[in-house]
Coordinates of all heavy atoms in Angstrom, one line a residue:
K1 N 0.8 -1.2 0.0 CA 0.0 0.0 0.0 C 0.9 1.2 0.0 O 1.9 1.3 0.7 CB -0.9 0.1 1.1 CG -1.9 -1.1 1.2 CD -2.6 -1.1 2.5 CE -3.6 -2.1 2.7 NZ -4.4 -2.2 3.9
I2 N 0.5 2.2 -0.8 CA 1.2 3.5 -0.9 C 0.4 4.6 -0.5 O -0.8 4.8 -0.8 CB 1.6 3.7 -2.4 CG1 2.6 2.5 -2.8 CG2 2.4 4.9 -2.5 CD1 3.0 2.6 -4.3
A3 N 1.0 5.5 0.3 CA 0.3 6.8 0.8 C 1.0 7.8 -0.2 O 2.2 7.9 -0.3 CB 0.6 7.1 2.2
I4 N 0.2 8.7 -0.7 CA 0.6 9.7 -1.6 C 0.3 11.1 -1.1 O -0.9 11.4 -0.9 CB 0.0 9.6 -3.1 CG1 0.4 8.2 -3.6 CG2 0.5 10.7 -3.9 CD1 -0.3 7.8 -4.9
Y5 N 1.3 11.8 -0.8 CA 1.2 13.1 -0.2 C 1.6 14.1 -1.4 O 2.6 13.9 -2.1 CB 2.0 13.5 1.1 CG 2.0 14.8 1.4 CD1 1.0 15.3 2.3 CD2 3.0 15.8 1.1 CE1 0.9 16.6 2.8 CE2 2.9 17.1 1.5 CZ 1.9 17.5 2.4 OH 1.9 18.9 2.8
G6 N 0.9 15.2 -1.5 CA 1.3 16.1 -2.5 C 0.8 17.5 -2.3 O -0.1 17.8 -1.4
R7 N 1.5 18.5 -2.9 CA 1.0 19.9 -2.9 C 0.8 20.3 -4.3 O 1.2 19.7 -5.3 CB 2.2 20.7 -2.4 CG 2.5 20.3 -0.9 CD 3.7 21.0 -0.3 NE 3.4 22.4 -0.4 CZ 4.1 23.3 0.0 NH1 5.3 23.1 0.8 NH2 3.9 24.6 0.0
P8 N -0.1 21.4 -4.5 CA -0.4 21.9 -5.8 C 0.9 22.1 -6.6 O 1.9 22.5 -6.1 CB -1.1 23.2 -5.5 CG -1.7 23.0 -4.2 CD -0.7 22.1 -3.4
F9 N 0.8 21.6 -7.8 CA 2.1 21.7 -8.7 C 1.8 22.7 -9.8 O 0.6 22.9 -10.1 CB 2.5 20.4 -9.2 CG 1.3 19.6 -9.7 CD1 0.9 19.8 -11.0 CD2 0.8 18.5 -9.0 CE1 -0.1 19.0 -11.6 CE2 -0.3 17.8 -9.6 CZ -0.8 18.0 -10.8
S10 N 2.8 23.0 -10.5 CA 2.8 23.9 -11.5 C 2.2 23.4 -12.8 O 2.4 22.0 -13.0 CB 4.1 24.6 -11.9 OG 5.1 23.6 -12.1
S11 N 1.9 24.1 -13.8 CA 1.3 23.6 -15.0 C 2.4 22.9 -15.7 O 3.6 23.1 -15.6 CB 0.9 24.8 -15.9 OG 0.0 24.5 -16.8
G12 N 2.0 21.8 -16.4 CA 3.1 21.0 -17.3 C 3.4 19.8 -16.5 O 4.0 18.9 -17.1
F13 N 3.0 19.5 -15.3 CA 3.3 18.3 -14.5 C 2.2 17.4 -14.7 O 2.3 16.2 -14.1 CB 3.6 18.6 -13.1 CG 4.2 17.6 -12.3 CD1 5.5 17.1 -12.6 CD2 3.6 16.9 -11.3 CE1 6.1 16.2 -11.9 CE2 4.2 15.9 -10.5 CZ 5.4 15.6 -10.9
E14 N 1.0 17.7 -15.3 CA -0.1 16.8 -15.2 C 0.2 15.4 -15.9 O -0.3 14.5 -15.5 CB -1.3 17.4 -16.0 CG -1.7 18.7 -15.7 CD -0.9 19.9 -16.0 OE1 0.0 19.8 -16.9 OE2 -1.2 21.1 -15.5
K15 N 1.0 15.5 -16.9 CA 1.2 14.2 -17.7 C 2.0 13.3 -16.7 O 1.8 12.0 -16.7 CB 2.1 14.4 -18.9 CG 1.3 15.0 -20.1 CD 2.2 15.2 -21.2 CE 1.3 16.0 -22.4 NZ 2.1 16.2 -23.6
N16 N 2.9 13.8 -15.9 CA 3.7 13.0 -15.0 C 2.9 12.3 -13.9 O 2.9 11.1 -13.6 CB 4.9 13.7 -14.4 CG 5.9 14.2 -15.4 OD1 6.0 13.6 -16.5 ND2 6.6 15.2 -15.1
I17 N 1.9 13.1 -13.4 CA 1.1 12.6 -12.3 C 0.1 11.7 -12.8 O -0.2 10.7 -12.2 CB 0.4 13.8 -11.5 CG1 -0.1 13.3 -10.1 CG2 -0.6 14.5 -12.2 CD1 0.9 13.0 -9.2
T18 N -0.4 11.9 -14.0 CA -1.3 10.9 -14.6 C -0.6 9.7 -14.9 O -1.2 8.6 -14.6 CB -1.9 11.5 -16.0 OG1 -2.6 12.7 -15.6 CG2 -2.8 10.5 -16.6
A19 N 0.6 9.7 -15.4 CA 1.4 8.5 -15.6 C 1.6 7.7 -14.4 O 1.6 6.5 -14.4 CB 2.8 8.9 -16.3
L20 N 1.9 8.4 -13.2 CA 2.1 7.7 -12.0 C 0.8 6.8 -11.7 O 1.0 5.7 -11.3 CB 2.4 8.7 -10.8 CG 2.3 8.1 -9.4 CD1 3.5 7.1 -9.3 CD2 2.4 9.2 -8.5
F21 N -0.4 7.5 -11.6 CA -1.7 6.8 -11.4 C -2.0 5.6 -12.3 O -2.5 4.6 -11.9 CB -2.8 7.7 -11.1 CG -2.6 8.7 -9.9 CD1 -2.4 10.0 -10.0 CD2 -2.7 8.0 -8.7 CE1 -2.2 10.8 -8.9 CE2 -2.5 8.8 -7.6 CZ -2.4 10.2 -7.6
V22 N -1.6 5.9 -13.5 CA -1.9 4.9 -14.5 C -1.0 3.7 -14.2 O -1.5 2.4 -14.3 CB -1.6 5.3 -16.0 CG1 -1.6 4.2 -17.0 CG2 -2.7 6.3 -16.4
L23 N 0.2 3.9 -13.9 CA 1.1 2.8 -13.6 C 0.7 2.1 -12.3 O 0.7 0.8 -12.3 CB 2.6 3.4 -13.4 CG 3.6 2.3 -13.2 CD1 3.9 1.4 -14.3 CD2 5.0 3.1 -12.8
L24 N 0.3 2.8 -11.3 CA -0.1 2.1 -10.1 C -1.4 1.3 -10.3 O -1.5 0.2 -9.9 CB -0.5 3.2 -9.0 CG 0.7 4.0 -8.5 CD1 0.2 5.1 -7.5 CD2 1.8 3.1 -7.8
E25 N -2.4 1.8 -11.0 CA -3.5 1.1 -11.4 C -3.3 -0.1 -12.3 O -3.9 -1.2 -12.0 CB -4.6 2.1 -11.9 CG -5.0 3.0 -10.9 CD -6.0 4.1 -11.5 OE1 -6.4 4.0 -12.6 OE2 -6.4 5.0 -10.6
K26 N -2.4 0.1 -13.1 CA -2.1 -1.1 -14.1 C -1.4 -2.2 -13.2 O -1.7 -3.4 -13.6 CB -1.0 -0.6 -15.1 CG -0.5 -1.7 -16.0 CD 0.6 -1.2 -17.0 CE 1.0 -2.2 -17.9 NZ 2.0 -1.7 -18.7
H27 N -0.6 -2.0 -12.2 CA -0.2 -3.1 -11.4 C -0.9 -3.4 -10.1 O -0.5 -4.2 -9.3 CB 1.3 -2.6 -11.0 CG 2.2 -2.6 -12.2 ND1 2.8 -3.7 -12.7 CD2 2.7 -1.5 -13.0 CE1 3.6 -3.3 -13.8 NE2 3.5 -2.0 -13.9
G28 N -2.1 -2.9 -10.1 CA -3.0 -3.2 -8.9 C -2.6 -2.8 -7.6 O -2.9 -3.4 -6.7
V29 N -1.8 -1.6 -7.7 CA -1.3 -1.1 -6.3 C -2.4 -0.4 -5.6 O -3.1 0.5 -6.2 CB -0.1 -0.3 -6.6 CG1 0.3 0.4 -5.3 CG2 1.1 -1.0 -7.3
E30 N -2.6 -0.7 -4.3 CA -3.5 0.1 -3.6 C -2.9 1.3 -3.1 O -1.7 1.2 -2.6 CB -4.0 -0.8 -2.3 CG -5.1 -0.2 -1.6 CD -5.7 -1.1 -0.4 OE1 -5.2 -2.3 -0.4 OE2 -6.4 -0.6 0.3
Y31 N -3.5 2.5 -3.1 CA -2.9 3.7 -2.7 C -3.9 4.7 -2.0 O -5.1 4.5 -2.3 CB -2.3 4.5 -3.9 CG -3.2 4.8 -5.1 CD1 -3.9 6.0 -5.0 CD2 -3.2 3.9 -6.2 CE1 -4.7 6.3 -6.2 CE2 -4.0 4.3 -7.2 CZ -4.8 5.4 -7.2 OH -5.6 5.7 -8.2
F32 N -3.4 5.5 -1.2 CA -4.2 6.4 -0.5 C -3.6 7.8 -0.8 O -2.4 7.9 -0.9 CB -4.1 6.2 1.0 CG -4.5 4.8 1.5 CD1 -3.6 3.7 1.4 CD2 -5.8 4.6 1.9 CE1 -4.0 2.4 1.7 CE2 -6.1 3.3 2.2 CZ -5.2 2.2 2.2
I33 N -4.6 8.8 -1.0 CA -4.0 10.2 -1.3 C -4.4 11.1 -0.2 O -5.6 11.1 0.3 CB -4.7 10.6 -2.7 CG1 -4.4 9.6 -3.7 CG2 -4.3 11.9 -3.1 CD1 -5.2 9.8 -5.0
H34 N -3.4 12.1 0.0 CA -3.8 13.0 1.0 C -4.9 13.9 0.5 O -5.0 14.3 -0.7 CB -2.5 13.9 1.2 CG -2.7 14.9 2.2 ND1 -2.5 16.3 2.1 CD2 -2.9 14.8 3.6 CE1 -2.6 17.0 3.2 NE2 -2.8 16.0 4.2
E35 N -5.9 14.0 1.4 CA -7.3 14.6 0.9 C -7.0 16.0 0.2 O -7.7 16.2 -0.8 CB -8.2 14.7 2.1 CG -9.7 15.0 1.7 CD -10.4 13.9 1.0 OE1 -10.1 12.8 1.2 OE2 -11.1 14.3 0.0
P36 N -6.4 16.9 0.7 CA -6.3 18.2 0.0 C -5.6 18.0 -1.4 O -6.1 18.8 -2.3 CB -5.4 19.1 0.9 CG -5.6 18.4 2.3 CD -5.7 16.9 2.1
F37 N -4.7 17.1 -1.5 CA -4.0 16.9 -2.8 C -5.1 16.2 -3.8 O -5.1 16.6 -4.9 CB -2.8 16.0 -2.7 CG -2.0 15.8 -3.9 CD1 -1.6 17.0 -4.6 CD2 -1.6 14.6 -4.3 CE1 -0.7 16.8 -5.7 CE2 -0.9 14.5 -5.5 CZ -0.4 15.6 -6.2
Y38 N -5.8 15.3 -3.2 CA -6.9 14.7 -4.1 C -7.9 15.6 -4.6 O -8.2 15.7 -5.8 CB -7.5 13.6 -3.2 CG -8.7 13.0 -3.9 CD1 -8.4 12.0 -5.0 CD2 -10.1 13.1 -3.6 CE1 -9.4 11.3 -5.7 CE2 -11.0 12.4 -4.3 CZ -10.7 11.6 -5.3 OH -11.7 10.9 -6.0
E39 N -8.3 16.5 -3.7 CA -9.2 17.6 -4.1 C -8.6 18.6 -5.2 O -9.2 18.9 -6.1 CB -9.7 18.5 -3.0 CG -10.5 17.6 -1.9 CD -11.8 17.1 -2.5 OE1 -12.5 17.8 -3.3 OE2 -12.2 16.1 -2.1
F40 N -7.3 18.9 -5.1 CA -6.5 19.7 -6.1 C -6.6 18.9 -7.4 O -6.9 19.6 -8.4 CB -5.2 20.0 -5.6 CG -4.2 20.4 -6.7 CD1 -4.3 21.7 -7.1 CD2 -3.4 19.6 -7.3 CE1 -3.5 22.2 -8.1 CE2 -2.5 20.0 -8.3 CZ -2.5 21.3 -8.8
L41 N -6.3 17.7 -7.4 CA -6.2 16.9 -8.6 C -7.6 16.9 -9.3 O -7.7 16.9 -10.6 CB -5.7 15.5 -8.4 CG -4.3 15.3 -7.8 CD1 -4.0 13.8 -7.5 CD2 -3.3 15.9 -8.9
L42 N -8.6 16.7 -8.5 CA -9.9 16.5 -9.2 C -10.5 17.9 -9.6 O -10.9 18.1 -10.8 CB -11.0 16.0 -8.1 CG -10.9 14.6 -7.8 CD1 -12.0 14.3 -6.7 CD2 -11.1 13.7 -9.0
K43 N -10.4 18.9 -8.9 CA -10.9 20.2 -9.2 C -10.1 21.1 -10.1 O -10.5 21.5 -11.2 CB -11.2 21.0 -7.9 CG -12.3 20.5 -7.1 CD -12.6 21.3 -5.8 CE -13.7 20.6 -5.0 NZ -13.8 21.3 -3.8
K44 N -8.8 21.3 -9.8 CA -7.9 22.2 -10.6 C -7.5 21.5 -11.8 O -7.5 22.0 -12.9 CB -6.8 22.7 -9.8 CG -6.0 23.8 -10.5 CD -5.0 24.4 -9.7 CE -4.2 25.6 -10.4 NZ -3.7 25.1 -11.8
E45 N -7.0 20.3 -11.7 CA -6.3 19.5 -12.8 C -7.3 18.7 -13.6 O -7.0 18.2 -14.6 CB -5.2 18.7 -12.3 CG -4.1 19.5 -11.7 CD -3.6 20.7 -12.6 OE1 -3.4 20.3 -13.8 OE2 -3.2 21.7 -12.1
K46 N -8.4 18.5 -13.0 CA -9.5 17.6 -13.6 C -9.0 16.2 -14.0 O -9.4 15.7 -15.0 CB -10.1 18.3 -14.8 CG -10.8 19.7 -14.4 CD -11.4 20.4 -15.7 CE -12.3 21.6 -15.3 NZ -11.6 22.6 -14.5
L47 N -8.2 15.7 -13.2 CA -7.7 14.3 -13.4 C -8.6 13.3 -12.8 O -9.4 13.5 -11.8 CB -6.3 14.1 -12.7 CG -5.2 15.0 -13.1 CD1 -4.0 14.7 -12.3 CD2 -5.0 15.0 -14.6
T48 N -8.8 12.2 -13.5 CA -9.7 11.1 -13.1 C -9.1 9.9 -13.0 O -8.2 9.5 -13.8 CB -10.8 11.0 -14.1 OG1 -10.4 10.6 -15.3 CG2 -11.8 12.2 -14.2
F49 N -9.2 9.2 -11.8 CA -8.5 7.9 -11.5 C -9.2 7.4 -10.3 O -10.1 8.0 -9.7 CB -7.1 8.2 -11.1 CG -6.8 9.3 -10.3 CD1 -6.8 9.2 -8.9 CD2 -6.6 10.7 -10.7 CE1 -6.7 10.1 -7.9 CE2 -6.4 11.7 -9.9 CZ -6.4 11.4 -8.5
K50 N -8.9 6.1 -10.2 CA -9.5 5.4 -8.9 C -8.8 5.9 -7.8 O -7.6 6.3 -7.8 CB -9.3 3.8 -9.2 CG -10.1 3.1 -10.2 CD -9.8 1.7 -10.1 CE -10.4 1.0 -11.3 NZ -10.0 -0.4 -11.4
K51 N -9.4 5.7 -6.7 CA -8.8 6.2 -5.4 C -9.1 5.1 -4.4 O -10.3 4.8 -4.1 CB -9.3 7.5 -4.9 CG -8.6 7.9 -3.5 CD -9.1 9.3 -3.2 CE -10.6 9.2 -2.7 NZ -11.0 10.1 -1.6
A52 N -8.0 4.4 -3.8 CA -8.3 3.5 -2.8 C -8.7 4.0 -1.4 O -9.5 3.4 -0.8 CB -7.0 2.6 -2.6
G53 N -8.3 5.2 -1.2 CA -8.7 5.8 0.1 C -8.0 7.2 0.2 O -7.3 7.6 -0.7
A54 N -8.4 7.9 1.2 CA -7.8 9.2 1.5 C -7.3 9.3 2.9 O -7.8 8.5 3.8 CB -8.8 10.3 1.3
F55 N -6.4 10.2 3.1 CA -6.0 10.4 4.5 C -5.9 11.9 4.8 O -5.6 12.7 3.8 CB -4.6 9.7 4.9 CG -3.5 10.1 4.2 CD1 -2.6 11.1 4.7 CD2 -3.2 9.6 2.8 CE1 -1.4 11.5 4.1 CE2 -2.0 10.1 2.2 CZ -1.1 11.1 2.8
K56 N -6.1 12.3 6.0 CA -6.0 13.7 6.4 C -4.8 14.0 7.2 O -4.2 15.1 7.1 CB -7.2 14.2 7.1 CG -8.5 14.2 6.2 CD -9.6 14.7 6.9 CE -10.9 14.7 6.0 NZ -12.0 15.2 6.5
T57 N -4.4 13.0 8.0 CA -3.2 13.3 8.9 C -2.3 11.9 8.9 O -2.8 11.0 8.4 CB -3.6 13.5 10.3 OG1 -4.1 12.2 10.9 CG2 -4.6 14.6 10.4
H58 N -1.1 12.1 9.3 CA -0.2 10.9 9.3 C -0.8 9.8 10.3 O -0.5 8.7 10.0 CB 1.2 11.3 9.8 CG 1.2 11.6 11.3 ND1 0.9 12.8 11.8 CD2 1.7 10.9 12.4 CE1 1.0 12.9 13.1 NE2 1.5 11.7 13.5
D59 N -1.7 10.1 11.2 CA -2.2 9.1 12.1 C -3.2 8.1 11.1 O -3.3 7.0 11.5 CB -3.0 9.7 13.1 CG -2.2 10.4 14.2 OD1 -1.1 9.8 14.4 OD2 -2.7 11.4 14.7
D60 N -3.7 8.6 10.1 CA -4.6 7.9 9.3 C -3.8 6.8 8.5 O -4.4 5.7 8.0 CB -5.3 8.7 8.3 CG -6.2 9.7 8.9 OD1 -6.7 9.5 10.0 OD2 -6.4 10.8 8.3
I61 N -2.6 7.0 8.3 CA -1.8 6.0 7.4 C -0.8 5.2 8.2 O -0.3 4.1 7.7 CB -1.0 6.6 6.3 CG1 0.0 7.8 6.8 CG2 -2.0 7.2 5.3 CD1 0.9 8.2 5.8
I62 N -0.6 5.5 9.6 CA 0.3 4.6 10.4 C -0.2 3.1 10.4 O -1.3 3.0 10.8 CB 0.5 5.2 11.8 CG1 1.3 6.6 11.7 CG2 1.2 4.2 12.7 CD1 1.4 7.2 13.0
G63 N 0.5 2.3 9.9 CA 0.1 0.9 9.9 C -0.7 0.4 8.7 O -1.0 -0.7 8.5
N64 N -1.0 1.4 7.9 CA -1.9 1.2 6.7 C -1.0 1.4 5.4 O -1.6 1.0 4.3 CB -3.1 2.1 6.7 CG -4.0 1.8 7.8 OD1 -4.3 0.7 8.0 ND2 -4.5 2.8 8.5
A65 N 0.1 1.9 5.4 CA 1.0 2.1 4.2 C 2.4 1.6 4.4 O 2.9 1.7 5.5 CB 1.0 3.6 3.9
D66 N 2.8 1.0 3.3 CA 4.1 0.5 3.4 C 5.2 1.5 2.9 O 6.3 1.3 3.3 CB 4.2 -0.7 2.4 CG 3.2 -1.8 2.8 OD1 3.2 -2.2 4.1 OD2 2.4 -2.2 1.9
I67 N 4.7 2.5 2.1 CA 5.7 3.4 1.5 C 4.9 4.7 1.3 O 3.7 4.6 1.2 CB 6.4 2.9 0.3 CG1 7.5 3.8 -0.2 CG2 5.3 2.8 -0.7 CD1 8.4 3.2 -1.3
M68 N 5.6 5.8 1.3 CA 4.9 7.1 1.1 C 5.6 7.8 0.0 O 6.8 8.0 0.1 CB 4.9 7.9 2.4 CG 4.2 9.3 2.2 SD 4.0 10.1 3.8 CE 3.0 11.4 3.4
F69 N 4.9 8.3 -0.9 CA 5.4 9.3 -2.0 C 5.0 10.6 -1.6 O 3.9 10.9 -1.3 CB 4.8 9.0 -3.4 CG 5.2 7.6 -4.0 CD1 4.4 7.2 -5.1 CD2 6.1 6.8 -3.5 CE1 4.7 5.9 -5.7 CE2 6.4 5.6 -4.1 CZ 5.8 5.2 -5.2
S70 N 6.0 11.6 -1.8 CA 5.8 13.1 -1.6 C 6.1 13.7 -2.8 O 7.2 13.8 -3.3 CB 6.6 13.5 -0.4 OG 6.4 14.9 -0.2
I71 N 5.1 14.4 -3.3 CA 5.2 15.2 -4.6 C 5.2 16.7 -4.3 O 4.1 17.1 -3.8 CB 4.1 14.7 -5.5 CG1 4.1 13.3 -5.9 CG2 4.2 15.6 -6.9 CD1 2.9 12.7 -6.5
G72 N 6.3 17.3 -4.5 CA 6.4 18.7 -4.1 C 5.8 19.6 -5.0 O 5.5 19.3 -6.2
G73 N 5.3 20.8 -4.6 CA 4.8 21.8 -5.5 C 5.7 22.3 -6.4 O 5.3 22.9 -7.5
D74 N 7.0 22.0 -6.3 CA 8.0 22.5 -7.3 C 8.3 21.4 -8.3 O 9.2 21.5 -9.1 CB 9.2 23.0 -6.6 CG 9.9 21.9 -5.7 OD1 9.4 20.8 -5.6 OD2 11.0 22.2 -5.3
G75 N 7.6 20.2 -8.2 CA 7.9 19.2 -9.0 C 8.8 18.1 -8.6 O 9.1 17.1 -9.2
T76 N 9.2 18.3 -7.3 CA 10.2 17.3 -6.8 C 9.4 16.1 -6.3 O 8.2 16.1 -6.1 CB 10.9 17.8 -5.5 OG1 10.0 18.3 -4.6 CG2 11.9 18.9 -5.9
F77 N 10.1 15.0 -6.2 CA 9.4 13.7 -5.9 C 10.2 12.9 -4.9 O 11.5 12.7 -5.2 CB 9.2 13.0 -7.2 CG 8.5 11.6 -6.9 CD1 7.1 11.6 -6.8 CD2 9.2 10.5 -7.0 CE1 6.5 10.3 -6.8 CE2 8.6 9.2 -6.8 CZ 7.2 9.1 -6.6
K78 N 9.8 12.6 -3.8 CA 10.5 11.8 -2.8 C 9.8 10.5 -2.3 O 8.5 10.6 -2.3 CB 10.8 12.7 -1.5 CG 11.6 13.9 -1.9 CD 11.9 14.7 -0.7 CE 12.8 15.9 -1.2 NZ 13.3 16.7 -0.2
V79 N 10.4 9.6 -2.0 CA 9.9 8.4 -1.4 C 10.4 8.1 0.0 O 11.5 8.2 0.3 CB 10.3 7.1 -2.3 CG1 9.7 5.9 -1.7 CG2 9.8 7.4 -3.7
F80 N 9.4 7.8 0.9 CA 9.7 7.6 2.3 C 9.4 6.1 2.7 O 8.2 5.7 2.3 CB 9.1 8.5 3.2 CG 9.3 9.9 2.9 CD1 8.7 10.7 2.1 CD2 10.5 10.5 3.6 CE1 8.9 12.0 1.8 CE2 10.9 11.8 3.3 CZ 10.0 12.6 2.5
T81 N 10.2 5.5 3.4 CA 9.9 4.1 3.8 C 9.9 4.0 5.3 O 10.6 4.8 5.9 CB 10.8 3.0 3.2 OG1 12.1 3.3 3.6 CG2 10.7 2.9 1.8
P82 N 9.1 3.2 5.9 CA 9.2 3.0 7.4 C 10.6 2.6 7.9 O 11.2 1.9 7.1 CB 8.2 2.0 7.8 CG 7.5 1.6 6.5 CD 8.3 2.2 5.4
G83 N 10.9 2.9 9.1 CA 12.2 2.5 9.7 C 13.3 3.4 9.5 O 14.2 3.6 9.8

């Protein structure tokens, strides 16, 4: 399971974020999206994709995610693992 945290990003990154979700769904990966980022993707970017779940705080994903992706507002991308 993957937790995805993100901040609003600049124009031109839509293809990359769409590719990420297409890849996750293609491989049957269960993922959770930080609720404000999910709302941004739906409203501003008008992206459509499946969503396994949402989280509002880190307490929501403790014990529920194996890895966390963090997508920065500047287009940076980081991966965090427990431990």
Side-chain angles (χ1 to χ4, degrees):
K1 296 179 186 177
I2 298 175
I4 300 173
Y5 175 84
R7 298 179 56 175
F9 49 80
S10 59
S11 202
F13 193 67
E14 301 86 4
K15 288 182 183 179
N16 295 341
I17 197 72
T18 299
L20 171 65
F21 289 113
V22 166
L23 185 66
L24 293 175
E25 291 172 7
K26 177 181 176 182
H27 291 281
V29 176
E30 187 175 356
Y31 58 88
F32 304 86
I33 305 172
H34 187 238
E35 191 67 38
F37 188 54
Y38 178 69
E39 294 298 323
F40 166 78
L41 295 174
L42 287 181
K43 291 179 182 172
K44 185 172 185 307
E45 298 304 321
K46 297 180 175 55
L47 300 180
T48 57
F49 47 86
K50 293 181 188 178
K51 178 180 73 157
F55 67 95
K56 292 183 180 182
T57 70
H58 70 281
D59 290 327
D60 297 335
I61 58 170
I62 293 176
N64 293 316
D66 301 310
I67 193 168
M68 181 175 191
F69 293 168
S70 178
I71 302 166
D74 61 354
T76 58
F77 182 80
K78 297 182 181 185
V79 177
F80 300 93
T81 57

